[in-house]
Amino acid sequence: MPSSLILHSMRPAGYNRTDQHLETLHLALFGNPVAHSLSPEIHQAFADQYGLKLNYKLIVSTEKTFPEQLGQLQSLGARGCNITVPLKVPAHNIADTLSTAAGTAGAANTLVFQQNGVFADNTDGLGWLKDLTRADVSIKGKSVAIIGAGGAAAGITPIILAQSPDTLVIANRSPEKAAGLLQQQLNPNFRSISLQQLRQPGLPKFDLLVNATSIGHQGKHPELFPGLFNPEALLYDLNYGTAAQPLKNWCDNNGIRYRDGLGMLVEQAALAFTLWTGQSPETQAVLSDLRAKLRQKS
Ligand code: ATR
């Protein structure tokens, strides 16, 4: 058994088969890194709403160790798990059945252990849309841009397209990856460009601009300029915490409305919790608590 799983799978005091299967919810997050994840805290808050005990493991995993570790988690009686970078595509590939969202994105962030095998879903896109709706922003008929074309962008692109925007521009350092996300889209208003092309004339002004890059983890932000934004436009950053700070500062300095990805994190978790338990937890209070705690830490 890999040491990472041994470390995190110690059974709680008083463990027995009954509480493993009925009262205690056994869940986990696979990925690397996972140590700083807020998921244990979020799912604990959800479990508390239903009087459930929670055993949520953080499992450091690689593509190589993932299948065996997943099997071990299943044998412990877990309901399923969350998946983060870099395992969202392997998680999609390992599943026996896929939701439409996981199939379309080619990546999974949630696995559910069912009697007939492993079911994979991707709750990122819908979680993001729920948080966007909370911010009172709609997509239909609007002009939308995504900066970035990695896994995070892949999770939200199908949801944006399903909401019928007037325009969708995906800009990425590697433009061919952006083109990949818009394959089979014949609408000329849906197009992929390089980051440099954001500066070229002829682009519409955007109502919603989504930062789906990971540049914030390098302490930087994508190069943007106020002329890209319509008045009242929103910049939605899929990052949160310290990775979100550089772009938040830029938006504050340029008078651009900004929202970080903490709400999306809570909403995608709530959708995963529903898949595992059938319960739909209340999210607003959980988000407010989390935000207050993060503010105290910074
Ligand atoms: P995630 O799953 O978080 O989306 P990812 O799949 O590695 O992570 O994608 C990271 C995104 O940030 C990509 O769009 C990447 O651009 P490339 O596709 O060209 O690699 C973008 N990104 C990361 N660092 C960047 C940087 N310094 N400048 C511009 N784009 C960057």
Short mmCIF file of all heavy atoms in Angstrom, two decimals, residues 125-179:
data_model
loop_
_atom_site.label_atom_id
_atom_site.label_comp_id
_atom_site.label_asym_id
_atom_site.label_seq_id
_atom_site.Cartn_x
_atom_site.Cartn_y
_atom_site.Cartn_z
N GLY A 125 -18.20 22.90 -14.08
CA GLY A 125 -18.92 23.83 -14.94
C GLY A 125 -20.23 24.29 -14.31
O GLY A 125 -20.52 25.49 -14.25
N LEU A 126 -21.01 23.32 -13.83
CA LEU A 126 -22.30 23.68 -13.23
C LEU A 126 -22.09 24.45 -11.93
O LEU A 126 -22.84 25.39 -11.63
CB LEU A 126 -23.11 22.40 -12.98
CG LEU A 126 -24.60 22.58 -12.78
CD1 LEU A 126 -25.22 23.39 -13.91
CD2 LEU A 126 -25.29 21.23 -12.67
N GLY A 127 -21.05 24.07 -11.17
CA GLY A 127 -20.74 24.80 -9.93
C GLY A 127 -20.40 26.25 -10.24
O GLY A 127 -20.84 27.17 -9.54
N TRP A 128 -19.64 26.45 -11.30
CA TRP A 128 -19.28 27.81 -11.71
C TRP A 128 -20.54 28.59 -12.11
O TRP A 128 -20.74 29.73 -11.71
CB TRP A 128 -18.28 27.74 -12.87
CG TRP A 128 -17.98 29.07 -13.45
CD1 TRP A 128 -17.25 30.07 -12.90
CD2 TRP A 128 -18.44 29.58 -14.72
NE1 TRP A 128 -17.22 31.15 -13.73
CE2 TRP A 128 -17.94 30.88 -14.85
CE3 TRP A 128 -19.23 29.04 -15.74
CZ2 TRP A 128 -18.20 31.67 -15.97
CZ3 TRP A 128 -19.48 29.82 -16.85
CH2 TRP A 128 -18.96 31.12 -16.97
N LEU A 129 -21.41 27.93 -12.89
CA LEU A 129 -22.62 28.61 -13.35
C LEU A 129 -23.51 29.01 -12.17
O LEU A 129 -24.11 30.08 -12.15
CB LEU A 129 -23.39 27.71 -14.32
CG LEU A 129 -24.57 28.36 -15.02
CD1 LEU A 129 -24.10 29.47 -15.95
CD2 LEU A 129 -25.37 27.33 -15.82
N LYS A 130 -23.57 28.13 -11.16
CA LYS A 130 -24.38 28.46 -9.98
C LYS A 130 -23.84 29.69 -9.28
O LYS A 130 -24.59 30.56 -8.85
CB LYS A 130 -24.40 27.27 -9.00
CG LYS A 130 -25.30 26.17 -9.45
CD LYS A 130 -25.45 25.10 -8.38
CE LYS A 130 -26.64 24.23 -8.69
NZ LYS A 130 -27.54 24.02 -7.58
N ASP A 131 -22.52 29.78 -9.18
CA ASP A 131 -21.95 30.94 -8.51
C ASP A 131 -22.13 32.20 -9.35
O ASP A 131 -22.34 33.29 -8.81
CB ASP A 131 -20.47 30.70 -8.19
CG ASP A 131 -19.94 31.78 -7.27
OD1 ASP A 131 -20.55 31.99 -6.20
OD2 ASP A 131 -18.95 32.45 -7.62
N LEU A 132 -22.04 32.04 -10.64
CA LEU A 132 -22.24 33.18 -11.55
C LEU A 132 -23.68 33.70 -11.41
O LEU A 132 -23.93 34.91 -11.39
CB LEU A 132 -21.99 32.72 -12.99
CG LEU A 132 -21.79 33.81 -14.03
CD1 LEU A 132 -20.47 34.53 -13.79
CD2 LEU A 132 -21.77 33.19 -15.43
N THR A 133 -24.61 32.76 -11.31
CA THR A 133 -26.01 33.13 -11.14
C THR A 133 -26.19 33.87 -9.82
O THR A 133 -26.95 34.84 -9.73
CB THR A 133 -26.89 31.86 -11.18
OG1 THR A 133 -26.59 31.16 -12.39
CG2 THR A 133 -28.37 32.19 -11.15
N ARG A 134 -25.48 33.41 -8.79
CA ARG A 134 -25.55 34.10 -7.50
C ARG A 134 -25.07 35.55 -7.63
O ARG A 134 -25.57 36.46 -6.97
CB ARG A 134 -24.68 33.35 -6.47
CG ARG A 134 -25.04 33.71 -5.04
CD ARG A 134 -23.91 33.49 -4.06
NE ARG A 134 -23.19 32.27 -4.19
CZ ARG A 134 -23.43 31.17 -3.48
NH1 ARG A 134 -24.40 31.13 -2.63
NH2 ARG A 134 -22.67 30.10 -3.65
N ALA A 135 -24.10 35.76 -8.54
CA ALA A 135 -23.58 37.11 -8.76
C ALA A 135 -24.50 37.90 -9.71
O ALA A 135 -24.17 39.01 -10.09
CB ALA A 135 -22.17 37.04 -9.34
N ASP A 136 -25.61 37.28 -10.10
CA ASP A 136 -26.61 37.93 -10.94
C ASP A 136 -26.09 38.22 -12.34
O ASP A 136 -26.44 39.24 -12.95
CB ASP A 136 -27.06 39.24 -10.26
CG ASP A 136 -28.54 39.45 -10.46
OD1 ASP A 136 -29.20 38.50 -10.92
OD2 ASP A 136 -29.03 40.56 -10.20
N VAL A 137 -25.25 37.33 -12.83
CA VAL A 137 -24.69 37.50 -14.18
C VAL A 137 -25.23 36.39 -15.06
O VAL A 137 -25.20 35.21 -14.67
CB VAL A 137 -23.15 37.44 -14.15
CG1 VAL A 137 -22.57 37.45 -15.56
CG2 VAL A 137 -22.59 38.61 -13.35
N SER A 138 -25.74 36.75 -16.23
CA SER A 138 -26.21 35.72 -17.17
C SER A 138 -25.34 35.75 -18.42
O SER A 138 -24.62 36.73 -18.67
CB SER A 138 -27.68 35.96 -17.52
OG SER A 138 -27.77 37.19 -18.18
N ILE A 139 -25.41 34.70 -19.19
CA ILE A 139 -24.51 34.55 -20.35
C ILE A 139 -25.26 34.72 -21.67
O ILE A 139 -24.69 35.18 -22.66
CB ILE A 139 -23.84 33.16 -20.29
CG1 ILE A 139 -22.86 33.12 -19.12
CG2 ILE A 139 -23.14 32.81 -21.59
CD1 ILE A 139 -22.24 31.77 -18.86
N LYS A 140 -26.53 34.39 -21.66
CA LYS A 140 -27.31 34.41 -22.92
C LYS A 140 -27.20 35.77 -23.62
O LYS A 140 -27.46 36.83 -23.03
CB LYS A 140 -28.78 34.11 -22.61
CG LYS A 140 -29.61 33.84 -23.84
CD LYS A 140 -31.01 33.40 -23.41
CE LYS A 140 -32.00 33.44 -24.53
NZ LYS A 140 -31.65 32.70 -25.73
N GLY A 141 -26.76 35.73 -24.87
CA GLY A 141 -26.69 36.95 -25.67
C GLY A 141 -25.52 37.86 -25.32
O GLY A 141 -25.39 38.95 -25.88
N LYS A 142 -24.66 37.43 -24.38
CA LYS A 142 -23.57 38.29 -23.92
C LYS A 142 -22.26 37.97 -24.65
O LYS A 142 -22.13 36.96 -25.33
CB LYS A 142 -23.35 38.10 -22.41
CG LYS A 142 -24.56 38.46 -21.57
CD LYS A 142 -24.70 39.96 -21.46
CE LYS A 142 -25.96 40.38 -20.73
NZ LYS A 142 -26.09 39.84 -19.39
N SER A 143 -21.34 38.87 -24.45
CA SER A 143 -20.03 38.73 -25.06
C SER A 143 -19.06 38.23 -24.00
O SER A 143 -18.82 38.90 -22.99
CB SER A 143 -19.64 40.13 -25.57
OG SER A 143 -18.38 40.11 -26.08
N VAL A 144 -18.53 37.01 -24.21
CA VAL A 144 -17.76 36.32 -23.16
C VAL A 144 -16.37 35.99 -23.67
O VAL A 144 -16.20 35.60 -24.84
CB VAL A 144 -18.48 35.00 -22.75
CG1 VAL A 144 -17.71 34.28 -21.66
CG2 VAL A 144 -19.91 35.28 -22.31
N ALA A 145 -15.37 36.15 -22.80
CA ALA A 145 -14.01 35.71 -23.14
C ALA A 145 -13.48 34.81 -22.04
O ALA A 145 -13.77 35.03 -20.85
CB ALA A 145 -13.09 36.92 -23.31
N ILE A 146 -12.73 33.80 -22.44
CA ILE A 146 -12.00 32.98 -21.47
C ILE A 146 -10.52 33.17 -21.76
O ILE A 146 -10.09 33.08 -22.92
CB ILE A 146 -12.32 31.47 -21.63
CG1 ILE A 146 -13.81 31.20 -21.54
CG2 ILE A 146 -11.58 30.65 -20.59
CD1 ILE A 146 -14.19 29.74 -21.80
N ILE A 147 -9.75 33.45 -20.71
CA ILE A 147 -8.30 33.52 -20.86
C ILE A 147 -7.76 32.22 -20.28
O ILE A 147 -7.96 31.93 -19.10
CB ILE A 147 -7.69 34.71 -20.08
CG1 ILE A 147 -8.49 36.00 -20.34
CG2 ILE A 147 -6.22 34.89 -20.44
CD1 ILE A 147 -8.49 36.49 -21.75
N GLY A 148 -7.08 31.43 -21.11
CA GLY A 148 -6.60 30.11 -20.67
C GLY A 148 -7.37 29.02 -21.39
O GLY A 148 -8.52 29.23 -21.81
N ALA A 149 -6.70 27.88 -21.57
CA ALA A 149 -7.37 26.80 -22.30
C ALA A 149 -6.96 25.43 -21.74
O ALA A 149 -6.96 24.44 -22.44
CB ALA A 149 -7.03 26.88 -23.78
N GLY A 150 -6.64 25.41 -20.44
CA GLY A 150 -6.29 24.13 -19.80
C GLY A 150 -7.52 23.44 -19.25
O GLY A 150 -8.64 23.65 -19.73
N GLY A 151 -7.30 22.64 -18.20
CA GLY A 151 -8.39 21.85 -17.63
C GLY A 151 -9.53 22.71 -17.11
O GLY A 151 -10.71 22.37 -17.28
N ALA A 152 -9.19 23.83 -16.46
CA ALA A 152 -10.25 24.67 -15.88
C ALA A 152 -11.12 25.26 -16.99
O ALA A 152 -12.36 25.30 -16.88
CB ALA A 152 -9.62 25.79 -15.05
N ALA A 153 -10.49 25.71 -18.07
CA ALA A 153 -11.26 26.26 -19.20
C ALA A 153 -12.12 25.16 -19.84
O ALA A 153 -13.27 25.40 -20.23
CB ALA A 153 -10.31 26.86 -20.23
N ALA A 154 -11.56 23.95 -19.94
CA ALA A 154 -12.32 22.84 -20.54
C ALA A 154 -13.57 22.53 -19.72
O ALA A 154 -14.60 22.13 -20.28
CB ALA A 154 -11.43 21.60 -20.64
N GLY A 155 -13.50 22.73 -18.40
CA GLY A 155 -14.65 22.44 -17.54
C GLY A 155 -15.80 23.42 -17.76
O GLY A 155 -16.96 23.03 -17.63
N ILE A 156 -15.48 24.70 -18.08
CA ILE A 156 -16.57 25.68 -18.17
C ILE A 156 -17.02 25.96 -19.61
O ILE A 156 -18.12 26.47 -19.83
CB ILE A 156 -16.21 27.02 -17.48
CG1 ILE A 156 -14.98 27.67 -18.16
CG2 ILE A 156 -15.98 26.84 -16.00
CD1 ILE A 156 -14.82 29.13 -17.77
N THR A 157 -16.19 25.63 -20.60
CA THR A 157 -16.55 25.97 -21.99
C THR A 157 -17.89 25.36 -22.43
O THR A 157 -18.74 26.07 -22.98
CB THR A 157 -15.41 25.58 -22.96
OG1 THR A 157 -14.24 26.30 -22.58
CG2 THR A 157 -15.76 25.93 -24.39
N PRO A 158 -18.14 24.05 -22.19
CA PRO A 158 -19.42 23.49 -22.64
C PRO A 158 -20.62 24.17 -21.97
O PRO A 158 -21.66 24.37 -22.60
CB PRO A 158 -19.34 22.01 -22.22
CG PRO A 158 -17.90 21.74 -22.00
CD PRO A 158 -17.28 23.02 -21.58
N ILE A 159 -20.45 24.57 -20.72
CA ILE A 159 -21.54 25.23 -19.98
C ILE A 159 -21.82 26.60 -20.59
O ILE A 159 -22.97 27.00 -20.77
CB ILE A 159 -21.16 25.38 -18.49
CG1 ILE A 159 -21.16 24.02 -17.80
CG2 ILE A 159 -22.06 26.38 -17.77
CD1 ILE A 159 -22.50 23.57 -17.28
N ILE A 160 -20.75 27.32 -20.95
CA ILE A 160 -20.93 28.64 -21.56
C ILE A 160 -21.64 28.48 -22.90
O ILE A 160 -22.62 29.19 -23.20
CB ILE A 160 -19.57 29.35 -21.74
CG1 ILE A 160 -18.98 29.70 -20.37
CG2 ILE A 160 -19.72 30.62 -22.59
CD1 ILE A 160 -17.61 30.34 -20.41
N LEU A 161 -21.17 27.53 -23.70
CA LEU A 161 -21.79 27.33 -25.02
C LEU A 161 -23.27 26.96 -24.88
O LEU A 161 -24.11 27.42 -25.67
CB LEU A 161 -21.03 26.24 -25.79
CG LEU A 161 -19.63 26.65 -26.27
CD1 LEU A 161 -18.86 25.45 -26.80
CD2 LEU A 161 -19.72 27.74 -27.34
N ALA A 162 -23.58 26.17 -23.86
CA ALA A 162 -24.98 25.75 -23.66
C ALA A 162 -25.88 26.91 -23.27
O ALA A 162 -27.11 26.82 -23.39
CB ALA A 162 -25.04 24.65 -22.60
N GLN A 163 -25.27 28.02 -22.79
CA GLN A 163 -26.07 29.18 -22.37
C GLN A 163 -26.27 30.19 -23.50
O GLN A 163 -26.77 31.29 -23.28
CB GLN A 163 -25.37 29.91 -21.20
CG GLN A 163 -25.15 29.06 -19.96
CD GLN A 163 -26.46 28.67 -19.31
OE1 GLN A 163 -27.29 29.53 -19.06
NE2 GLN A 163 -26.65 27.39 -19.07
N SER A 164 -25.82 29.84 -24.71
CA SER A 164 -26.01 30.69 -25.90
C SER A 164 -25.48 32.12 -25.76
O SER A 164 -26.24 33.10 -25.83
CB SER A 164 -27.50 30.77 -26.28
OG SER A 164 -28.04 29.51 -26.38
N PRO A 165 -24.17 32.28 -25.58
CA PRO A 165 -23.61 33.63 -25.61
C PRO A 165 -23.67 34.17 -27.03
O PRO A 165 -23.74 33.39 -27.99
CB PRO A 165 -22.16 33.42 -25.17
CG PRO A 165 -21.84 32.02 -25.59
CD PRO A 165 -23.13 31.24 -25.46
N ASP A 166 -23.61 35.49 -27.18
CA ASP A 166 -23.51 36.05 -28.52
C ASP A 166 -22.12 35.78 -29.08
O ASP A 166 -21.95 35.44 -30.25
CB ASP A 166 -23.78 37.56 -28.48
CG ASP A 166 -23.53 38.20 -29.84
OD1 ASP A 166 -24.36 37.95 -30.73
OD2 ASP A 166 -22.49 38.86 -30.01
N THR A 167 -21.12 35.96 -28.21
CA THR A 167 -19.72 35.84 -28.61
C THR A 167 -18.97 35.02 -27.58
O THR A 167 -19.21 35.19 -26.37
CB THR A 167 -19.06 37.25 -28.65
OG1 THR A 167 -19.83 38.07 -29.52
CG2 THR A 167 -17.63 37.20 -29.10
N LEU A 168 -18.09 34.14 -28.02
CA LEU A 168 -17.16 33.49 -27.09
C LEU A 168 -15.77 33.49 -27.72
O LEU A 168 -15.56 32.92 -28.79
CB LEU A 168 -17.58 32.04 -26.78
CG LEU A 168 -16.58 31.29 -25.89
CD1 LEU A 168 -16.40 31.98 -24.53
CD2 LEU A 168 -17.01 29.84 -25.67
N VAL A 169 -14.85 34.19 -27.06
CA VAL A 169 -13.46 34.22 -27.52
C VAL A 169 -12.61 33.51 -26.47
O VAL A 169 -12.70 33.84 -25.28
CB VAL A 169 -12.97 35.68 -27.69
CG1 VAL A 169 -11.48 35.72 -28.00
CG2 VAL A 169 -13.76 36.37 -28.80
N ILE A 170 -11.83 32.52 -26.89
CA ILE A 170 -10.90 31.86 -25.96
C ILE A 170 -9.48 32.25 -26.36
O ILE A 170 -9.05 31.98 -27.49
CB ILE A 170 -11.06 30.33 -25.96
CG1 ILE A 170 -12.53 29.95 -25.70
CG2 ILE A 170 -10.14 29.71 -24.91
CD1 ILE A 170 -12.78 28.46 -25.56
N ALA A 171 -8.79 32.93 -25.44
CA ALA A 171 -7.43 33.38 -25.70
C ALA A 171 -6.46 32.58 -24.85
O ALA A 171 -6.69 32.41 -23.65
CB ALA A 171 -7.30 34.86 -25.36
N ASN A 172 -5.42 32.08 -25.49
CA ASN A 172 -4.46 31.28 -24.72
C ASN A 172 -3.05 31.48 -25.25
O ASN A 172 -2.85 31.80 -26.42
CB ASN A 172 -4.82 29.79 -24.80
CG ASN A 172 -4.10 28.97 -23.75
OD1 ASN A 172 -3.99 29.41 -22.60
ND2 ASN A 172 -3.62 27.79 -24.11
N ARG A 173 -2.07 31.33 -24.33
CA ARG A 173 -0.65 31.40 -24.72
C ARG A 173 -0.39 30.43 -25.87
O ARG A 173 0.28 30.77 -26.83
CB ARG A 173 0.22 31.06 -23.49
CG ARG A 173 1.69 31.04 -23.75
CD ARG A 173 2.45 30.83 -22.47
NE ARG A 173 2.13 29.55 -21.81
CZ ARG A 173 2.69 29.14 -20.69
NH1 ARG A 173 3.58 29.91 -20.08
NH2 ARG A 173 2.35 27.98 -20.16
N SER A 174 -0.93 29.21 -25.76
CA SER A 174 -0.82 28.24 -26.86
C SER A 174 -2.18 28.22 -27.57
O SER A 174 -3.09 27.52 -27.14
CB SER A 174 -0.52 26.84 -26.33
OG SER A 174 0.36 26.91 -25.24
N PRO A 175 -2.34 29.01 -28.65
CA PRO A 175 -3.68 29.17 -29.25
C PRO A 175 -4.27 27.87 -29.77
O PRO A 175 -5.50 27.73 -29.84
CB PRO A 175 -3.45 30.17 -30.39
CG PRO A 175 -1.99 30.36 -30.53
CD PRO A 175 -1.31 29.83 -29.32
N GLU A 176 -3.43 26.88 -30.10
CA GLU A 176 -3.99 25.63 -30.63
C GLU A 176 -4.81 24.91 -29.56
O GLU A 176 -5.77 24.20 -29.88
CB GLU A 176 -2.87 24.72 -31.20
CG GLU A 176 -1.90 24.12 -30.21
CD GLU A 176 -0.80 25.10 -29.74
OE1 GLU A 176 -0.78 26.26 -30.22
OE2 GLU A 176 0.01 24.70 -28.89
N LYS A 177 -4.44 25.11 -28.28
CA LYS A 177 -5.25 24.49 -27.22
C LYS A 177 -6.61 25.17 -27.12
O LYS A 177 -7.63 24.53 -26.85
CB LYS A 177 -4.51 24.56 -25.88
CG LYS A 177 -3.58 23.37 -25.69
CD LYS A 177 -2.60 23.56 -24.58
CE LYS A 177 -3.18 23.43 -23.20
NZ LYS A 177 -2.11 23.60 -22.17
N ALA A 178 -6.62 26.48 -27.33
CA ALA A 178 -7.89 27.22 -27.34
C ALA A 178 -8.76 26.74 -28.50
O ALA A 178 -9.98 26.54 -28.36
CB ALA A 178 -7.63 28.72 -27.44
N ALA A 179 -8.12 26.52 -29.64
CA ALA A 179 -8.87 26.05 -30.82
C ALA A 179 -9.50 24.68 -30.52
O ALA A 179 -10.63 24.40 -30.93
CB ALA A 179 -7.93 25.97 -32.03
#
